[in-house]
Amino acid sequence: MLRFITLRLLQAIPVILVVITVTFFLVRIAPGGPFDSEKPVTREVKAALEAQYKLDLPLFQQYTSYLGDLAQGDLGPSFKYPGRSVNELIAAGFPVTAELGFYALLVAVGIGGLAGVIAALKPNTAQDYIPMSLAMIGICMPSFLLGPLLVLVFGIHLDWLPVSGWGDIPGDKILPSITLGAGYAAYIARLGRAGMLEVLSQDYIRTARAKGLPEWQVVLKHSLRGGLIPVVAFLGPAFAGLLAGSFVVETIFQIPGLGRFYVQAAFNRDYTMILGTTVFLSVLIVLFNLLSDVLAAWMNPRLRAQFGH
Amino acid sequence: MNTQTINDIAQAEQGTSLWKDAWLRLRKNHLAVFGLVTLVLFIVIALLTPWIAPYSYQAQNLELGASPPSAAHWLGTDIFGRDLMTQIMYGGRISLAVGFVATTVALLIGVTWGAVAGYVGGRADAVMMRLVDILYALPFMIFIVLLTVVFGRNMLLLFLAIGAVEWLTMARIMRGQVQSLRQQEFVEAAISLGLSPATLIRRHLVPNALGPIIVYTTLTIPNVMLLEAFLSFLGLGIQPPQTSWGLLISYGAETMEEYPWLLIFPGLALTLTLFSLNFLGDGLRDALDVRGAKD
Amino acid sequence: MALLDVQDLAVSFVTRNGTNKAVDGVSFSVELGKITAIIGESGSGKSVACYSLLGLVPMPPGRIDGGRALFEGRDLLQLEESELRKIRGRDIAMIFQDPMTCLNPYMTIGKQLMEPLVYHHHVKKEQARARALELLAEVGIRDPESTIDDFPHQFSGGMRQRVMIAMALINEPKLLIADEPTTALDVTIQAQILKLIAELQEKRDIGVIFISHDLAVVADIADQIVVMKQGQIVETGNRESIFHNAQHPYTKKLLAAIPTDSKQARGGVAEPLIQVRDLCTWFSQDKGKEPVKAVNKVSFDINRGEVLGLVGESGSGKSTIGRSILRLVPVTSGEVLFDGTDLTALEGRDLKAMRRRMQMIFQDPFASLNPRMTVYDTLAEPLLLHGIENRATVGKGVLKLMDDVGLARAFVRKYPHEFSGGQRQRIAIGRALATRPEFIVADEPVSALDVTIQAQILDLMQQLGREYGLTMLFVSHDLAVVRHLADRILVLYKGEVVEQGSGDDLFEHPQQPYTRQLLTSIPGRSLLA
């Protein structure tokens, strides 16, 4: 197992390097410098600014210097918020996004996984059709549509729940978490159902029944593990999707998280912020992918043995 | 050939090919048929929009402003008094076009890549699929946002960017297909007959790999459309004066408290299309029995 | 009184296309201390009949239409699921066909073994473990202490079946239902497992239902034999009466399908058509590991017109030899001379020309035909490719082939999925014969077929072999079949030739210990000889 993790970590390094490099040069070749727009600045001021942000150096030196800073965990200063570093902005926004993502993941895995398992136990009955129809709606109802609709119904029409903010009023975390998690709950429900159906049709399930085990033991002890491996393997991609989804959800619900900062930075052409956030999120996604892969492999004794020694 | 043989063959009972079999099964699946009909309807409307749209795309009526559905404007008007149905029809053209074009891009790259990797095998396969693995690990969504920031917002870029994300899955599926087909005994039989590789691929590999490709193509289109709508909602995709369903939903969300129909109708159009595609895709998967061969 | 007494059992499956009577008025009984064998081909309802007793047939689509199954005075068919569950795994236990898929891959075998004991008798973990260790030792697992916490994938097929047996017996059931328990195993392993089941049954004095498609397998162990066909019992009798005094034509047909004779030696001059010299086919593994030597330094000749039998268990390399000769797998070293030409050196046009002269018949009739091509397309392809027929005459050629392999001409525009396994194998034989080859590799051509169909296909191959003047390499795991068909037999073990000789020589004077072991493993040898 340790070898497997080490191997995957080593493979992750080039991926992260590629991300950093591509992002860096993409941002640098973007048309127009960060200080071109809005109010014109004098040549001297611009030169001073460029010196401050090391834009006067040759491109390759900028790159190596950025890598050097990065190695020390320094993502550099923000272009648009003078005096504030990208590190500070991320430190301010990320905890909120992480919390939102965590709740959304709970919604996705909890509700989705349960629905999938329940549907698979009695395929082609109401117990299957109802959760699966809901899942289909969840898949076809993107967060940027579901969010406003939820706000319209529960926030405005019924006036049950607050429609914006994060941690300001009790209950204001409910709608954003559901909005972000619903689509993934739907996906996980379908994945879980397929996985469980596959396992339940295996010969060893018949063996378990022939032993006289009651159905709940057959499901819990013999089916769940194999059936949910695809769900666990999906958690990595789901995490990446949740982060991207947070861009939208944080915008809809006016949540001061990293996603909203990122979108704002994109509009403001705050290049260091974009660069820093991209690198930060990429590393996070790569690590989470690794984690879910390791977890899925660990759940399978055959793979576990293969990488164990 | 003498007439006797011709008659013998012509009069022999026509078998049911797997395609025909699949079609018969698909026809029994009401949801899939619903999806197919809706989809065809939407495509036809999208193609004919310039001729059948009730109002011109630019026509404004600032005096009227936002009005709820009425006899003159079936789906109401937006804050500039523009007919919403016309807006949705034109937006649908863009949304569907993005869906189909970007999927085609993904299909072409993915199928070629996967087929070559699966057929050649060995080291080339290892290198090619390693690359796919690495690309898979990249946070593409973030990259697309980045690209639109860097290069401005244009449609071509959107097609390419989305296509570039979606081809990865297609390549994996195609490679898996080709690899498993290559180990089938009927392919070995074809090799031992002495068929050339080109004929082998054309007659024995492609027809048998087609089913999964059709299914995954059908299921990729809604993904692509979602991606487009997502970006447009954030203001990073389609730009005015052009419009798309994602953009309309984004406008609708801003004013939903006063004018809920501006959110609901574009949302309905998008959701209905995604439903249709997913139902059709699921139906095709069952009908073509993509999971495994059955006897 | 019988341990289990089944009367007029009827089970059907309700599907969209109508109701299918899987078991139709079946009656049989099992005595304590006796083995009752239920014999039937696929679709005979033999498994459904037994599964339905334990409530293991999914309902719907399954449905019990009637009958009675008295087990210790209680009618199993009338019991609630909760009552039945108490009987399953405690009083009646089961073992299944494929030991590779019947154990949970995510659980250690120890846990799986202890489960029935813990569940039914609420035994403490330590006691259950001790009992599991005892049983593992009893079924012949070496060093149970160190293997009990291993996962199923760490065991071979035969060992897994032993674990299954231990699991079935851990609650000391009164009745054991064994559903084709040896079908997925190699012949020497099969013999060991059969012996083990018979021993354990005798020692515990329990009743056993042994379900099999193969009469020969049960010839040594069954007390009572029930023969089923299409959901009904055609004949019931004790072992002697079934084997020596069968009444029903179907039973006779089953018996006749077991090949017992040895092919008569052929005369004439021996002129080698195929000469294999030091053939090695190795498959490379991951870096740093030794390659798998599937075929290692194998040399033999096949004379013109001869049928050479190639016998071995799984992993012996027998299929790889056939594929190496036909250049379907890359050869590592050595020579294969076909009529004097070294096949391993050929490329392009020359190779294609040689391919016409040698063809292959595959094991799995479901996988060996392109599912998207009609019979016509499948048979016309080789005819046109090698210019044997032109566009104008190809139809005639196709029909001639269909006549030759015994397929009705009316089927010419049908697709493979519309045929039965036997018919598909006929199509595959037709395709192989289309190029008018001189040499054919037949790789287990009948092992995926029901026994009566097996006999038909073997007859067809023999007849066509004579008509077309074929030289044949017949690859099989089944010594009896090979003996019936082959002029000479080559015994393979782990990629190397162990022994060769005529069928009679080999059967009567085996030289090598491995050959002797193979021979004694042939099921039902004593009764049939």
Side-chain angles (χ1 to χ4, degrees):
Chain A
M1 207 70 222
L2 205 65
R3 220 193 71 171
F4 177 61
I5 297 174
T6 325
L7 204 72
R8 290 295 311 264
L9 265 176
L10 288 178
Q11 284 172 354
I13 291 173
V15 173
I16 292 171
L17 260 178
V18 167
V19 171
I20 296 170
T21 311
V22 170
T23 316
F24 181 86
F25 287 102
L26 265 181
V27 168
R28 284 297 181 276
I29 59 167
F35 312 115
D36 286 353
S37 56
E38 293 153 33
K39 52 182 191 261
V41 288
T42 61
R43 183 171 295 190
E44 290 77 37
V45 176
K46 192 174 172 188
L49 277 171
E50 286 188 343
Q52 187 195 336
Y53 291 110
K54 296 183 187 159
L55 292 178
D56 53 343
L57 297 175
L59 196 56
F60 191 74
Q61 270 186 32
Q62 291 183 31
Y63 175 62
T64 48
S65 134
Y66 186 77
L67 278 186
D69 289 348
L70 205 58
Q72 295 160 25
D74 181 8
L75 295 166
S78 162
F79 279 160
K80 288 287 153 167
Y81 301 96
R84 295 195 70 181
S85 72
V86 174
N87 289 48
E88 283 168 30
L89 288 169
I90 289 178
F94 182 65
V96 174
T97 301
E99 197 185 350
L100 172 64
F102 176 72
Y103 291 144
L105 207 59
L106 273 189
V107 169
V109 177
I111 298 179
L114 200 64
V117 172
I118 287 174
L121 292 184
K122 288 231 167 84
N124 301 321
T125 62
Q127 189 180 324
D128 178 20
Y129 291 140
I130 293 170
M132 282 306 117
S133 308
L134 287 174
M136 191 52 122
I137 294 175
I139 282 183
C140 296
M141 183 81 81
S143 56
F144 51 86
L145 183 56
L146 182 66
L149 284 178
L150 287 177
V151 167
L152 207 55
V153 175
F154 295 99
I156 297 169
H157 188 70
L158 296 171
D159 200 14
W160 287 353
L161 291 166
V163 299
S164 69
W166 187 257
D168 306 329
I169 326 167
D172 64 357
K173 292 178 182 176
I174 296 176
L175 285 185
S177 305
I178 292 177
T179 303
L180 185 55
Y184 292 92
Y187 204 85
I188 284 176
R190 284 166 64 96
L191 218 57
R193 175 181 183 268
M196 284 299 287
L197 279 182
E198 165 91 29
V199 169
L200 286 171
S201 70
Q202 297 288 319
D203 287 345
Y204 64 82
I205 297 302
R206 188 182 55 192
T207 309
R209 294 204 173 111
K211 285 179 188 173
L213 297 184
E215 201 56 28
W216 66 268
Q217 279 204 21
V218 173
V219 172
L220 279 186
K221 283 174 123 177
H222 288 269
S223 322
L224 218 48
R225 188 173 196 157
L228 292 185
I229 285 183
V231 172
V232 172
F234 173 67
L235 287 181
F239 179 77
L242 283 176
L243 280 183
S246 72
F247 300 177
V248 161
V249 173
E250 288 176 10
T251 305
I252 294 172
F253 292 94
Q254 292 161 27
I255 296 168
L258 197 56
R260 200 150 72 110
F261 288 177
Y262 189 72
V263 176
Q264 278 168 357
F267 277 107
N268 295 335
R269 305 195 152 238
D270 187 343
Y271 290 147
T272 41
M273 181 67 190
I274 294 174
L275 188 55
T277 320
T278 304
V279 169
F280 176 72
L281 292 179
S282 303
V283 171
L284 220 58
I285 287 170
V286 167
L287 288 181
F288 216 85
N289 265 326
L290 172 71
L291 194 68
S292 88
D293 277 2
V294 168
L295 207 59
W298 179 79
M299 282 170 76
N300 187 339
R302 183 165 253 178
L303 284 177
R304 205 189 319 170
Q306 207 171 322
F307 296 113
H309 316 289
Chain B
M1 202 181 331
N2 61 32
T3 42
Q4 180 60 40
T5 10
I6 295 176
N7 281 342
D8 271 1
I9 292 174
Q11 280 165 11
E13 198 184 328
Q14 175 65 50
T16 319
S17 75
L18 290 178
W19 294 117
K20 200 169 152 194
D21 223 35
W23 170 239
L24 292 176
R25 260 179 289 176
L26 187 70
R27 263 194 353 201
K28 282 189 200 155
N29 184 335
H30 300 300
L31 284 174
V33 172
F34 164 79
L36 186 63
V37 171
T38 315
L39 202 63
V40 169
L41 190 72
F42 276 25
I43 292 172
V44 169
I45 292 177
L47 289 175
L48 298 179
T49 293
W51 296 280
I52 61 169
Y55 293 84
S56 106
Y57 179 63
Q58 281 93 1
Q60 297 190 353
N61 185 346
L62 290 173
E63 261 168 56
L64 178 64
S67 69
S70 63
H73 301 279
W74 289 359
L75 302 182
T77 55
D78 69 3
I79 49 170
F80 301 108
R82 288 179 299 194
D83 179 57
L84 184 59
M85 192 157 125
T86 309
Q87 297 281 312
I88 290 177
M89 284 165 82
Y90 276 96
R93 277 164 77 87
I94 304 273
S95 288
L96 286 169
V98 172
F100 282 89
V101 174
T103 303
T104 311
V105 172
L107 192 70
L108 289 178
I109 306 177
V111 166
T112 316
W113 192 272
V116 170
Y119 189 81
V120 175
R123 183 155 292 170
D125 172 46
V127 171
M128 288 173 84
M129 292 327 280
R130 192 77 214 115
L131 189 75
V132 170
D133 286 346
I134 290 175
L135 289 177
Y136 241 116
L138 294 179
F140 259 102
M141 205 57 159
I142 295 171
F143 255 120
I144 292 181
V145 174
L146 192 70
L147 281 175
T148 57
V149 172
V150 173
F151 294 108
R153 287 127 212 187
N154 73 61
M155 282 252 287
L156 187 71
L157 183 76
L158 203 60
F159 288 153
L160 289 177
I162 297 176
V165 183
E166 298 287 340
W167 76 269
L168 297 171
T169 313
M170 208 67 99
R172 278 189 173 177
I173 288 164
M174 190 60 197
R175 170 176 175 270
Q177 279 298 312
V178 172
Q179 273 205 328
S180 78
L181 280 174
R182 280 204 66 174
Q183 286 166 6
Q184 297 271 332
E185 289 180 345
F186 73 82
V187 174
E188 282 193 299
I191 295 173
S192 70
L193 285 179
L195 285 186
S196 65
T199 319
L200 182 78
I201 292 172
R202 186 168 49 81
R203 281 182 69 105
H204 294 277
L205 293 183
V206 171
N208 285 292
L210 218 50
I213 293 174
I214 291 174
V215 171
Y216 286 103
T217 304
T218 317
L219 293 172
T220 300
I221 299 173
N223 277 346
V224 170
M225 291 181 66
L226 264 179
L227 211 53
E228 179 273 323
F230 177 88
L231 290 171
S232 296
F233 181 87
L234 285 177
L236 296 168
I238 301 296
Q239 294 295 304
Q242 281 178 326
T243 195
S244 77
W245 288 340
L247 204 56
L248 288 172
I249 291 172
S250 152
Y251 293 152
E254 283 168 22
T255 57
M256 64 182 173
E257 269 182 69
E258 302 88 8
Y259 320 122
W261 61 89
L262 290 180
L263 171 67
I264 290 168
F265 290 122
L268 208 59
L270 177 66
T271 309
L272 205 59
T273 311
L274 298 180
F275 260 124
S276 303
L277 282 161
N278 277 310
F279 282 145
L280 184 63
D282 280 3
L284 281 171
R285 172 160 45 200
D286 293 344
L288 292 168
D289 200 16
V290 162
R291 295 268 331 257
K294 70 180 223 114
D295 52 53
Chain C
M1 204 188 83
L3 174 67
L4 173 73
D5 186 33
V6 178
Q7 290 295 330
D8 288 323
L9 177 68
V11 184
S12 55
F13 287 99
V14 184
T15 64
R16 236 180 287 172
N17 306 327
T19 306
N20 165 26
K21 284 187 178 175
V23 178
D24 190 6
V26 163
S27 308
F28 63 91
S29 64
V30 188
E31 308 280 338
L32 260 181
K34 303 275 186 203
I35 297 183
T36 298
I38 303 183
I39 303 295
E41 295 182 293
S42 51
S44 63
K46 57 189 191 298
S47 297
V48 175
C50 295
Y51 285 33
S52 65
L53 300 179
L54 291 178
L56 289 176
V57 173
M59 311 202 183
R63 189 180 71 195
I64 291 179
D65 294 327
R68 198 158 65 89
L70 290 184
F71 176 75
E72 298 190 307
R74 292 204 287 174
D75 186 356
L76 294 175
L77 302 180
Q78 300 298 328
L79 289 181
E80 292 290 320
E81 164 65 18
S82 56
E83 294 286 309
L84 208 50
R85 203 184 288 139
K86 285 182 194 146
I87 294 177
R88 279 204 305 256
R90 195 184 71 181
D91 302 320
I92 304 179
M94 288 195 74
I95 49 180
F96 301 97
Q97 174 173 348
D98 191 350
M100 293 310 199
T101 59
C102 283
L103 289 167
N104 188 336
Y106 302 112
M107 248 192 222
T108 63
I109 60 150
K111 269 198 179 149
Q112 297 186 57
L113 215 52
M114 284 146 61
E115 215 173 22
L117 199 58
V118 172
Y119 177 69
H120 286 288
H121 296 295
H122 309 287
V123 172
K124 286 227 174 58
K125 274 248 166 82
E126 301 78 56
Q127 277 174 287
R129 194 181 161 88
R131 184 80 190 106
L133 286 170
E134 272 174 46
L135 264 162
L136 282 177
E138 193 181 346
V139 298
I141 302 275
R142 244 170 289 151
D143 197 7
E145 282 284 354
S146 64
T147 50
I148 189 167
D149 294 318
D150 283 351
F151 287 94
H153 70 263
Q154 291 163 282
F155 293 81
S156 69
M159 286 298 143
R160 285 192 219 187
Q161 199 59 297
R162 286 169 192 267
V163 172
M164 280 294 291
I165 293 172
M167 198 159 78
L169 294 180
I170 199 158
N171 276 336
E172 299 295 336
K174 302 185 183 76
L175 177 64
L176 176 70
I177 300 177
D179 184 8
E180 305 253 15
T182 60
T183 308
L185 303 173
D186 271 328
V187 60
T188 51
I189 311 290
Q190 163 169 292
Q192 293 166 13
I193 296 290
L194 285 175
K195 191 162 155 249
L196 178 69
I197 291 175
E199 276 171 14
L200 292 170
Q201 180 265 339
E202 202 163 313
K203 187 168 150 198
R204 287 176 163 70
D205 208 27
I206 58 177
V208 172
I209 300 178
F210 194 104
I211 303 170
S212 178
H213 68 285
D214 189 350
L215 260 174
V217 166
V218 301
D220 293 330
I221 59 168
D223 298 297
Q224 192 78 5
I225 296 177
V226 177
V227 181
M228 282 185 73
K229 187 192 179 194
Q230 291 171 356
Q232 293 177 328
I233 290 180
V234 297
E235 188 164 0
T236 306
N238 62 28
R239 177 164 47 156
E240 274 64 38
S241 75
I242 291 286
F243 278 99
H244 299 301
N245 192 19
Q247 300 300 314
H248 195 278
Y250 181 68
T251 316
K252 287 181 187 162
K253 200 171 155 193
L254 283 181
L255 284 167
I258 305 171
T260 51
D261 57 331
S262 183
K263 190 179 179 185
Q264 291 308 305
R266 37 189 285 288
V269 249
E271 180 212 343
L273 177 67
I274 305 272
Q275 292 163 290
V276 176
R277 294 284 170 269
D278 292 326
L279 179 71
C280 291
T281 305
W282 296 356
F283 297 110
S284 52
Q285 291 196 60
D286 292 346
K287 274 176 228 153
K289 275 193 193 165
E290 276 276 289
V292 177
K293 297 179 177 175
V295 178
N296 202 16
K297 298 238 173 204
V298 166
S299 301
F300 59 87
D301 287 355
I302 310 176
N303 294 324
R304 212 176 266 281
E306 185 183 44
V307 178
L308 179 70
L310 208 53
V311 169
E313 298 186 286
S314 52
S316 64
K318 57 186 189 304
S319 290
T320 311
I321 290 182
R323 284 178 161 76
S324 303
I325 295 175
L326 294 190
R327 290 280 307 271
L328 289 173
V329 292
V331 169
T332 309
S333 66
E335 285 185 333
V336 178
L337 301 178
F338 183 104
D339 213 358
T341 316
D342 185 6
L343 292 176
T344 58
L346 290 183
E347 284 307 330
R349 190 187 297 262
D350 300 331
L351 182 61
K352 183 183 163 188
M354 284 311 263
R355 284 203 186 283
R356 190 193 69 72
R357 299 173 65 185
M358 46 189 199
Q359 285 295 306
M360 182 152 179
I361 301 169
F362 296 88
Q363 172 174 3
D364 186 355
F366 293 88
S368 66
L369 298 171
N370 185 339
R372 312 227 172 241
M373 281 164 72
T374 60
V375 177
Y376 181 88
D377 292 334
T378 299
L379 294 180
E381 183 170 63
L383 292 175
L384 292 172
L385 180 72
H386 289 288
I388 293 160
E389 305 278 356
N390 57 39
R391 290 251 158 235
T393 60
V394 67
K396 208 167 136 194
V398 167
L399 293 181
K400 161 91 170 50
L401 281 172
M402 292 186 74
D403 294 344
D404 284 355
V405 298
L407 273 174
R409 289 182 167 202
F411 292 154
V412 68
R413 289 164 73 192
K414 295 235 178 226
Y415 289 86
H417 65 105
E418 299 173 280
F419 293 99
S420 69
Q423 286 172 319
R424 288 187 221 201
Q425 204 57 304
R426 287 176 192 268
I427 303 172
I429 293 173
R431 174 183 54 197
L433 294 178
T435 64
R436 314 266 163 81
E438 295 151 61
F439 173 62
I440 283 206
V441 175
D443 185 10
E444 302 259 15
V446 295
S447 54
L449 305 173
D450 275 330
V451 273
T452 53
I453 310 295
Q454 261 186 26
Q456 291 169 13
I457 297 292
L458 287 177
D459 282 349
L460 177 73
M461 286 179 63
Q462 276 188 308
Q463 175 209 331
L464 290 173
R466 278 192 302 273
E467 274 173 33
Y468 281 71
L470 291 173
T471 305
M472 205 184 298
L473 180 67
F474 190 93
V475 180
S476 178
H477 70 285
D478 189 336
L479 258 171
V481 165
V482 172
R483 183 193 187 190
H484 173 68
L485 214 75
D487 300 298
R488 257 178 336 119
I489 301 176
L490 230 61
V491 180
L492 282 176
Y493 183 67
K494 292 192 174 160
E496 294 179 28
V497 177
V498 178
E499 189 167 356
Q500 53 180 312
S502 75
D504 282 339
D505 281 354
L506 225 56
F507 269 68
E508 274 143 42
H509 316 287
Q511 301 299 310
Q512 299 296 321
Y514 178 69
T515 316
R516 271 192 289 261
Q517 195 194 346
L518 266 186
L519 289 172
T520 51
S521 299
I522 298 177
R525 225 178 149 228
S526 52
L527 243 160
L528 296 164

